[in-house]
Amino acid sequence: MKTKILFVLILLLAMSFSPKDTSAAGKPTIILDPGHGGMYGGTAGYSGNRTGYYEKHANMEISKRIKSELEKLGFAVKMTRTADTHFNSYSSGSDLISRMRVANNMAVGNNDNSVFVSVHHNATTSPTYGGYETYYFNKAYTDYNYPPDKMQAHYSPESQRLANVTHNSVISSGVREGRGIVPNSLYVTRNAQMPAVLLEVGYMSNPTEERMIKTAEFQQKVAVSFAKGVNSFFNVYVVNDANGKALRHYTSKTDALNYAKTISGSYVTYKKTGAVQTTASTPEPTPAPAPTPTPAPIPVVKPLVYGVYHSAVKINNNMFATEQEAEKYAAQWKNTRVVHTTTGNVVWSNYMPLKYTVQDGSKNDVKKFYQKDQAIAHAQKLAKASVIDNTTQDILWSNFQRKNFVVRSKDKGVMADFYNREEARSYAALWPNSELFDIWAQKVIYTNPKTTAYTYSPKNIVGKDRIATAIEVSKQLYPNGFASTKSKKTVVLATSHEYADALSAGPLAAHYGNAPILLNKQAALSANVEAEIKRLKANHVIIVGGTVSLSAGIENKLKGMGITVERLSGANRYETNAKINSKMPNTSGVFVASGSDFPDALTAASTAVIKNWPIVLVNEKLATPARLNNAFGDDIVIIGGSKSVPAKIETNLEKLIGSDKVMRLSGQTRYDTSTAVLNYYSDEFISNSLIVSSGANYPDALVSSALTKRYNAPLFLVPEGNMPTSLTNTLKTNSTEKLINRIYYVGGTVPDSVKSTINAMQK
């Protein structure tokens, strides 16, 4: 309406031609988004795991310099974050949604005169790759599954122009170029409601480039040249058609006005101010350029993104382009569901209940969902919303209701808070000397009758070497040997000097009555190990691995002691893993981890022994193991990032059993991955104990899984240096929410400084 009124006024004042001002009032505004932040550190690059300098730090440093240079040129600059914070702690995907909500709100009313710039640093598996890159949304790259914001679809040509002028400005300053200007469909660029680019300033996985990225000289060079590019983007005269669509950009005002004369109803604006441009003289109109032939449209082939899955059997030819087609096909059978393969959302089922309801601020039902995560994601888009479990009527999540029920310890203070009274009471009943306080009523409504006084004492379980430490763990588990009534008097025996065969032994040992895992050298049975087997009164030993790991002489020695010996081995670690898993019963889930390194598999073991799930080891070069090919009704949880378990394995599993059944838990480092797993499965561990072992050396952590099973306690892998923030935070949460009275430090490689830090959390 505003532009139409302005058009009429100018028409009355100047009859030569008809300009309109569709540019929103306001100073040209740059919305700078330093990528990642808070709990989302971005890439650790080449040295971040040692130095603690992550991508989020580099993004912030260079963003501040860009802000300063832009302000010198007269631009208004807003930053989505100015400190080391995240936007949403629920998930990285939710963080992106919240981040763009903040950015787009900053541009409201001035979208035509604003641009969005997201600042990042890249990483790859190659330490030699490097260079500066610029990404923007191009409508030609629209993904059927991920449509752009309608405003970005409109601004796409301007996003391309912004990418071109800023990228060329930076590269012309002498900065090394990577893949150049890249049209793509990244979340932030396709959802920005203004012209937008994403910068990958350099590759932190390249040690030389990582050092350069940290220098003030390099950061300043990029900041100055990028700001010049932004100035060039705005320092143009725009010829717009009668509907406000930009037709051409000119650096010369005269050229712009001359071209406008050739287009009926067109007008010229100066991009930097939005002001409509006029001229006193009326040049002779020049012929309009010949129209460019329009190429024949490329037919759009809708991808097959809806999968039909049965709860127990494989359905062939199960992929469809539309939800309606998939539902019609699925309805032919019982126990089927339709899954959107990209998002993992169940959109239809004839056997799963719509268990979760999103309610608005007035407690009216908005929508029902099959999955909790799906319901929470929907609720997060609403100003006031809660997610209700339809089975219990419990509030699972809310962005406006208060957690009125607080469980607190008389010894340590507040432990946890809850939306629901009964959930809070059940939690308080687990911990002696605790009480339940109703904030609304301002009174204690439950007191745990157990009154055991809280005391804390750490315990070191350590021997002179890894073999002796394993024996000490066994003695902690069974100080008097196996009870005569114990049905399974089993010991698992693994090599002390190679992790490969024993990576998945934890769940096996748990299955055999929580058998201790003992370690031995390859050639002969250790006298100390022999003594421990006798002390335990074991009658069954499972040897993990072939004779290269533990010799035939060891097997014969055990048999000579009157012990039943069973050897589980294959041609390689993956075949040995399959033999181990063949001894496990059918379960509701499977953990998947890399067989090429030990941390992720040992992380999986600490939860697998509680859930009685097997661990399947994978390798990029090997076919998908049979255990996974047959896991139609199982949940599959991948432990570790795509460098450990390649994305193609995840994609194959999603197609095979449905993306709703496949989840990846990972972090930037082994310790971040470990804490991601422990956080996700925190409700599985209700214990007064914690297990702590080194994450830099496998033997102590390997044998610790039996302690996890014995005490229902989480196993924390810790570094031999500084503690990562994620690990510290998870330890603090466990220490607060659970009355930890004992921590078992397994092995001699946990530093005293780490022990002191963890011990201090319990006081």
PDB file of all heavy atoms in Angstrom, residues 71 172 240 246 287 292 304 315 363 380 394 403 495 504 511 535 545 568 574 577 600 670 746:
ATOM      1  N   GLU A  71      30.902  -0.968  10.201  1.00  0.00           N
ATOM      2  CA  GLU A  71      30.436   0.249  10.874  1.00  0.00           C
ATOM      3  C   GLU A  71      31.243   1.463  10.428  1.00  0.00           C
ATOM      4  O   GLU A  71      30.711   2.576  10.343  1.00  0.00           O
ATOM      5  CB  GLU A  71      30.509   0.059  12.392  1.00  0.00           C
ATOM      6  CG  GLU A  71      29.436  -0.896  12.912  1.00  0.00           C
ATOM      7  CD  GLU A  71      29.573  -1.220  14.384  1.00  0.00           C
ATOM      8  OE1 GLU A  71      30.696  -1.033  14.923  1.00  0.00           O
ATOM      9  OE2 GLU A  71      28.582  -1.660  15.003  1.00  0.00           O
ATOM     10  N   SER A 172      40.444 -11.146  -4.117  1.00  0.00           N
ATOM     11  CA  SER A 172      41.348 -10.175  -4.746  1.00  0.00           C
ATOM     12  C   SER A 172      42.325  -9.569  -3.747  1.00  0.00           C
ATOM     13  O   SER A 172      43.338  -8.988  -4.141  1.00  0.00           O
ATOM     14  CB  SER A 172      40.534  -9.060  -5.415  1.00  0.00           C
ATOM     15  OG  SER A 172      39.829  -8.292  -4.438  1.00  0.00           O
ATOM     16  N   ASN A 240      14.024  -1.250 -11.229  1.00  0.00           N
ATOM     17  CA  ASN A 240      12.963  -2.161 -10.801  1.00  0.00           C
ATOM     18  C   ASN A 240      11.799  -2.087 -11.769  1.00  0.00           C
ATOM     19  O   ASN A 240      11.485  -1.007 -12.305  1.00  0.00           O
ATOM     20  CB  ASN A 240      12.461  -1.768  -9.409  1.00  0.00           C
ATOM     21  CG  ASN A 240      13.576  -1.659  -8.399  1.00  0.00           C
ATOM     22  OD1 ASN A 240      14.018  -2.639  -7.841  1.00  0.00           O
ATOM     23  ND2 ASN A 240      14.061  -0.428  -8.168  1.00  0.00           N
ATOM     24  N   ALA A 246      13.737  -6.349  -9.128  1.00  0.00           N
ATOM     25  CA  ALA A 246      14.979  -5.794  -9.642  1.00  0.00           C
ATOM     26  C   ALA A 246      15.285  -6.379 -11.015  1.00  0.00           C
ATOM     27  O   ALA A 246      15.300  -7.595 -11.190  1.00  0.00           O
ATOM     28  CB  ALA A 246      16.123  -6.076  -8.675  1.00  0.00           C
ATOM     29  N   PRO A 287      16.573   1.339 -27.333  1.00  0.00           N
ATOM     30  CA  PRO A 287      15.817   0.101 -27.548  1.00  0.00           C
ATOM     31  C   PRO A 287      16.062  -0.899 -26.423  1.00  0.00           C
ATOM     32  O   PRO A 287      17.162  -1.008 -25.904  1.00  0.00           O
ATOM     33  CB  PRO A 287      16.365  -0.427 -28.889  1.00  0.00           C
ATOM     34  CG  PRO A 287      17.034   0.753 -29.513  1.00  0.00           C
ATOM     35  CD  PRO A 287      17.523   1.622 -28.408  1.00  0.00           C
ATOM     36  N   THR A 292      15.959 -12.805 -23.987  1.00  0.00           N
ATOM     37  CA  THR A 292      16.745 -14.043 -23.991  1.00  0.00           C
ATOM     38  C   THR A 292      15.807 -15.233 -24.118  1.00  0.00           C
ATOM     39  O   THR A 292      14.815 -15.323 -23.382  1.00  0.00           O
ATOM     40  CB  THR A 292      17.541 -14.171 -22.683  1.00  0.00           C
ATOM     41  OG1 THR A 292      18.369 -13.014 -22.546  1.00  0.00           O
ATOM     42  CG2 THR A 292      18.396 -15.429 -22.685  1.00  0.00           C
ATOM     43  N   LEU A 304      11.759 -40.115  -4.070  1.00  0.00           N
ATOM     44  CA  LEU A 304      11.015 -41.080  -3.256  1.00  0.00           C
ATOM     45  C   LEU A 304      11.446 -40.900  -1.810  1.00  0.00           C
ATOM     46  O   LEU A 304      12.506 -41.376  -1.405  1.00  0.00           O
ATOM     47  CB  LEU A 304      11.286 -42.499  -3.749  1.00  0.00           C
ATOM     48  CG  LEU A 304      11.024 -42.755  -5.237  1.00  0.00           C
ATOM     49  CD1 LEU A 304      11.352 -44.196  -5.595  1.00  0.00           C
ATOM     50  CD2 LEU A 304       9.573 -42.440  -5.589  1.00  0.00           C
ATOM     51  N   ILE A 315       9.787 -55.042   3.664  1.00  0.00           N
ATOM     52  CA  ILE A 315       8.862 -54.812   2.552  1.00  0.00           C
ATOM     53  C   ILE A 315       9.674 -54.329   1.355  1.00  0.00           C
ATOM     54  O   ILE A 315      10.400 -53.337   1.449  1.00  0.00           O
ATOM     55  CB  ILE A 315       7.790 -53.767   2.922  1.00  0.00           C
ATOM     56  CG1 ILE A 315       6.924 -54.280   4.075  1.00  0.00           C
ATOM     57  CG2 ILE A 315       6.924 -53.422   1.719  1.00  0.00           C
ATOM     58  CD1 ILE A 315       5.877 -53.284   4.544  1.00  0.00           C
ATOM     59  N   LYS A 363      -4.169 -24.795  26.913  1.00  0.00           N
ATOM     60  CA  LYS A 363      -4.292 -26.241  27.082  1.00  0.00           C
ATOM     61  C   LYS A 363      -5.265 -26.870  26.082  1.00  0.00           C
ATOM     62  O   LYS A 363      -5.881 -27.901  26.348  1.00  0.00           O
ATOM     63  CB  LYS A 363      -4.686 -26.604  28.510  1.00  0.00           C
ATOM     64  CG  LYS A 363      -3.645 -26.196  29.537  1.00  0.00           C
ATOM     65  CD  LYS A 363      -3.979 -26.714  30.935  1.00  0.00           C
ATOM     66  CE  LYS A 363      -2.875 -26.338  31.925  1.00  0.00           C
ATOM     67  NZ  LYS A 363      -3.147 -26.834  33.288  1.00  0.00           N
ATOM     68  N   GLN A 380       8.074 -26.224  19.721  1.00  0.00           N
ATOM     69  CA  GLN A 380       9.065 -25.152  19.791  1.00  0.00           C
ATOM     70  C   GLN A 380       8.759 -24.011  18.825  1.00  0.00           C
ATOM     71  O   GLN A 380       9.258 -22.900  19.002  1.00  0.00           O
ATOM     72  CB  GLN A 380      10.459 -25.718  19.505  1.00  0.00           C
ATOM     73  CG  GLN A 380      11.023 -26.549  20.644  1.00  0.00           C
ATOM     74  CD  GLN A 380      12.359 -27.171  20.299  1.00  0.00           C
ATOM     75  OE1 GLN A 380      12.611 -27.516  19.145  1.00  0.00           O
ATOM     76  NE2 GLN A 380      13.215 -27.317  21.290  1.00  0.00           N
ATOM     77  N   ASP A 394       1.366 -36.737  31.650  1.00  0.00           N
ATOM     78  CA  ASP A 394       2.479 -35.960  32.171  1.00  0.00           C
ATOM     79  C   ASP A 394       2.908 -34.906  31.159  1.00  0.00           C
ATOM     80  O   ASP A 394       2.849 -35.124  29.946  1.00  0.00           O
ATOM     81  CB  ASP A 394       3.679 -36.866  32.464  1.00  0.00           C
ATOM     82  CG  ASP A 394       3.461 -37.733  33.691  1.00  0.00           C
ATOM     83  OD1 ASP A 394       2.548 -37.414  34.475  1.00  0.00           O
ATOM     84  OD2 ASP A 394       4.200 -38.729  33.855  1.00  0.00           O
ATOM     85  N   LYS A 403       8.220 -25.778  36.300  1.00  0.00           N
ATOM     86  CA  LYS A 403       8.418 -27.052  36.991  1.00  0.00           C
ATOM     87  C   LYS A 403       8.226 -26.797  38.489  1.00  0.00           C
ATOM     88  O   LYS A 403       9.143 -26.362  39.184  1.00  0.00           O
ATOM     89  CB  LYS A 403       9.808 -27.610  36.703  1.00  0.00           C
ATOM     90  CG  LYS A 403      10.008 -28.014  35.245  1.00  0.00           C
ATOM     91  CD  LYS A 403      11.388 -28.614  35.017  1.00  0.00           C
ATOM     92  CE  LYS A 403      11.545 -29.098  33.584  1.00  0.00           C
ATOM     93  NZ  LYS A 403      12.878 -29.698  33.339  1.00  0.00           N
ATOM     94  N   THR A 495      42.858 -60.450  25.215  1.00  0.00           N
ATOM     95  CA  THR A 495      44.256 -60.067  25.152  1.00  0.00           C
ATOM     96  C   THR A 495      44.477 -58.720  25.826  1.00  0.00           C
ATOM     97  O   THR A 495      43.615 -57.830  25.766  1.00  0.00           O
ATOM     98  CB  THR A 495      44.751 -59.998  23.703  1.00  0.00           C
ATOM     99  OG1 THR A 495      46.106 -59.549  23.696  1.00  0.00           O
ATOM    100  CG2 THR A 495      43.917 -59.039  22.875  1.00  0.00           C
ATOM    101  N   SER A 504      33.682 -55.514  21.719  1.00  0.00           N
ATOM    102  CA  SER A 504      32.262 -55.781  21.989  1.00  0.00           C
ATOM    103  C   SER A 504      32.072 -56.825  23.074  1.00  0.00           C
ATOM    104  O   SER A 504      30.988 -57.402  23.212  1.00  0.00           O
ATOM    105  CB  SER A 504      31.562 -56.236  20.699  1.00  0.00           C
ATOM    106  OG  SER A 504      32.229 -57.362  20.141  1.00  0.00           O
ATOM    107  N   HIS A 511      25.921 -60.526  29.704  1.00  0.00           N
ATOM    108  CA  HIS A 511      24.946 -61.580  29.425  1.00  0.00           C
ATOM    109  C   HIS A 511      25.262 -62.850  30.207  1.00  0.00           C
ATOM    110  O   HIS A 511      24.352 -63.565  30.638  1.00  0.00           O
ATOM    111  CB  HIS A 511      24.918 -61.861  27.922  1.00  0.00           C
ATOM    112  CG  HIS A 511      24.073 -63.024  27.527  1.00  0.00           C
ATOM    113  ND1 HIS A 511      22.714 -63.077  27.766  1.00  0.00           N
ATOM    114  CD2 HIS A 511      24.398 -64.203  26.911  1.00  0.00           C
ATOM    115  CE1 HIS A 511      22.230 -64.226  27.323  1.00  0.00           C
ATOM    116  NE2 HIS A 511      23.228 -64.923  26.800  1.00  0.00           N
ATOM    117  N   ARG A 535      40.353 -68.435  42.360  1.00  0.00           N
ATOM    118  CA  ARG A 535      39.703 -67.759  43.493  1.00  0.00           C
ATOM    119  C   ARG A 535      38.214 -67.558  43.239  1.00  0.00           C
ATOM    120  O   ARG A 535      37.373 -67.719  44.130  1.00  0.00           O
ATOM    121  CB  ARG A 535      40.377 -66.402  43.743  1.00  0.00           C
ATOM    122  CG  ARG A 535      39.899 -65.683  45.018  1.00  0.00           C
ATOM    123  CD  ARG A 535      40.333 -64.236  45.056  1.00  0.00           C
ATOM    124  NE  ARG A 535      39.646 -63.440  44.059  1.00  0.00           N
ATOM    125  CZ  ARG A 535      38.416 -62.926  44.215  1.00  0.00           C
ATOM    126  NH1 ARG A 535      37.739 -63.164  45.339  1.00  0.00           N
ATOM    127  NH2 ARG A 535      37.869 -62.219  43.263  1.00  0.00           N
ATOM    128  N   GLY A 545      38.827 -63.937  20.678  1.00  0.00           N
ATOM    129  CA  GLY A 545      39.906 -63.773  19.721  1.00  0.00           C
ATOM    130  C   GLY A 545      40.586 -65.087  19.396  1.00  0.00           C
ATOM    131  O   GLY A 545      40.461 -66.087  20.117  1.00  0.00           O
ATOM    132  N   LEU A 568      35.724 -67.677  20.927  1.00  0.00           N
ATOM    133  CA  LEU A 568      34.954 -66.937  19.927  1.00  0.00           C
ATOM    134  C   LEU A 568      35.942 -66.149  19.078  1.00  0.00           C
ATOM    135  O   LEU A 568      36.554 -65.183  19.554  1.00  0.00           O
ATOM    136  CB  LEU A 568      33.957 -65.985  20.596  1.00  0.00           C
ATOM    137  CG  LEU A 568      32.917 -66.638  21.517  1.00  0.00           C
ATOM    138  CD1 LEU A 568      32.034 -65.576  22.164  1.00  0.00           C
ATOM    139  CD2 LEU A 568      32.060 -67.633  20.740  1.00  0.00           C
ATOM    140  N   TYR A 574      35.874 -58.110  12.836  1.00  0.00           N
ATOM    141  CA  TYR A 574      34.453 -58.002  12.498  1.00  0.00           C
ATOM    142  C   TYR A 574      33.783 -59.375  12.547  1.00  0.00           C
ATOM    143  O   TYR A 574      32.632 -59.494  12.976  1.00  0.00           O
ATOM    144  CB  TYR A 574      34.294 -57.329  11.130  1.00  0.00           C
ATOM    145  CG  TYR A 574      34.954 -55.971  11.116  1.00  0.00           C
ATOM    146  CD1 TYR A 574      36.222 -55.804  10.555  1.00  0.00           C
ATOM    147  CD2 TYR A 574      34.346 -54.868  11.713  1.00  0.00           C
ATOM    148  CE1 TYR A 574      36.850 -54.573  10.573  1.00  0.00           C
ATOM    149  CE2 TYR A 574      34.971 -53.628  11.739  1.00  0.00           C
ATOM    150  CZ  TYR A 574      36.225 -53.490  11.173  1.00  0.00           C
ATOM    151  OH  TYR A 574      36.849 -52.270  11.209  1.00  0.00           O
ATOM    152  N   ASN A 577      33.487 -60.176  16.145  1.00  0.00           N
ATOM    153  CA  ASN A 577      32.336 -59.440  16.665  1.00  0.00           C
ATOM    154  C   ASN A 577      31.027 -60.161  16.347  1.00  0.00           C
ATOM    155  O   ASN A 577      30.124 -60.264  17.199  1.00  0.00           O
ATOM    156  CB  ASN A 577      32.334 -58.030  16.057  1.00  0.00           C
ATOM    157  CG  ASN A 577      31.080 -57.231  16.375  1.00  0.00           C
ATOM    158  OD1 ASN A 577      30.353 -56.836  15.466  1.00  0.00           O
ATOM    159  ND2 ASN A 577      30.830 -56.976  17.644  1.00  0.00           N
ATOM    160  N   ASP A 600      34.673 -45.077  20.892  1.00  0.00           N
ATOM    161  CA  ASP A 600      33.222 -45.097  20.699  1.00  0.00           C
ATOM    162  C   ASP A 600      32.613 -46.431  21.116  1.00  0.00           C
ATOM    163  O   ASP A 600      31.518 -46.477  21.679  1.00  0.00           O
ATOM    164  CB  ASP A 600      32.877 -44.795  19.234  1.00  0.00           C
ATOM    165  CG  ASP A 600      33.238 -43.368  18.844  1.00  0.00           C
ATOM    166  OD1 ASP A 600      33.407 -42.535  19.752  1.00  0.00           O
ATOM    167  OD2 ASP A 600      33.371 -43.090  17.636  1.00  0.00           O
ATOM    168  N   ARG A 670      36.059 -37.693  21.376  1.00  0.00           N
ATOM    169  CA  ARG A 670      35.603 -38.923  22.018  1.00  0.00           C
ATOM    170  C   ARG A 670      34.876 -38.620  23.327  1.00  0.00           C
ATOM    171  O   ARG A 670      33.945 -39.329  23.714  1.00  0.00           O
ATOM    172  CB  ARG A 670      36.781 -39.855  22.264  1.00  0.00           C
ATOM    173  CG  ARG A 670      37.851 -39.312  23.203  1.00  0.00           C
ATOM    174  CD  ARG A 670      39.047 -40.241  23.305  1.00  0.00           C
ATOM    175  NE  ARG A 670      39.709 -40.403  22.016  1.00  0.00           N
ATOM    176  CZ  ARG A 670      40.746 -41.204  21.812  1.00  0.00           C
ATOM    177  NH1 ARG A 670      41.251 -41.914  22.818  1.00  0.00           N
ATOM    178  NH2 ARG A 670      41.297 -41.312  20.621  1.00  0.00           N
ATOM    179  N   VAL A 746      39.163 -46.331  37.929  1.00  0.00           N
ATOM    180  CA  VAL A 746      39.725 -47.600  37.469  1.00  0.00           C
ATOM    181  C   VAL A 746      41.002 -47.339  36.678  1.00  0.00           C
ATOM    182  O   VAL A 746      40.993 -46.620  35.675  1.00  0.00           O
ATOM    183  CB  VAL A 746      38.712 -48.370  36.603  1.00  0.00           C
ATOM    184  CG1 VAL A 746      39.305 -49.707  36.171  1.00  0.00           C
ATOM    185  CG2 VAL A 746      37.415 -48.586  37.373  1.00  0.00           C
TER     186      VAL A 746
END
